[in-house]
């Protein structure tokens, strides 16, 4: 991401012996030329659950349970969409979920 294009970030990477693939400002990112990062996509899916976006719980076990529930719902939805296009049967409804 070009937001990390700074001398300070590059210096920290060099200190740790890492080679970062950071886009220069005004250029497209080398990895993200056409797709969203997996983390960004996952956060966007989790933001659809407004209970997570405004979570006032103090106990981490409850917060983790909310995230697990949201991830489970997202996974099941994805599996249903995938099965809709890969599995055929005679009485299948005409519309897609």
């Amino acid at each position: 991401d070009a937001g990390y294009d700074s001398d300070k970030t590059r210096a920290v990477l060099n200190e740790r012996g890492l080679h970062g693939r950071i886009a220069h400002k005004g250029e497209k990112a080398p990895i993200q030329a056409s797709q969203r990062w997996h983390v960004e996509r996952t956060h966007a899916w989790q933001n659809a659950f407004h209970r997570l976006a405004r979570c006032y719980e103090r106990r981490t076990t409850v917060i983790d349970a909310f995230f697990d529930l949201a991830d489970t719902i997202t996974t099941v939805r994805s599996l249903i969409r995938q099965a809709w296009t890969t599995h055929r049967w005679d009485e299948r409804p005409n519309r897609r979920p």
Side-chain angles (χ1 to χ4, degrees), residues 19-75:
H19 174 70
R21 292 173 55 183
I22 303 172
H24 296 284
K25 295 195 191 263
E27 297 177 8
K28 286 191 171 188
I31 299 172
Q32 187 191 2
S34 63
Q35 298 179 10
R36 293 182 84 175
W37 291 83
H38 297 291
V39 173
E40 289 178 354
R41 184 183 61 214
T42 304
H43 284 218
W45 288 340
Q46 288 176 341
N47 286 339
F49 297 91
H50 299 288
R51 179 75 170 99
L52 294 176
R54 294 168 200 87
C55 187
Y56 298 110
E57 279 293 329
R58 293 178 188 225
R59 293 174 292 184
T60 57
T61 55
V62 175
I63 294 170
D64 290 341
F66 282 134
F67 274 107
D68 292 343
L69 179 62
D71 293 341
T72 302
I73 292 170
T74 303
T75 303

Side-chain angles (χ1 to χ4, degrees), residues 78-89 92-97:
S78 175
L79 290 172
I80 289 171
R81 283 191 199 107
Q82 183 179 6
W84 188 265
T85 58
T86 59
H87 293 76
R88 305 283 183 189
W89 62 94
R92 189 179 89 160
N94 292 330
R95 65 187 263 310
R96 189 176 175 174

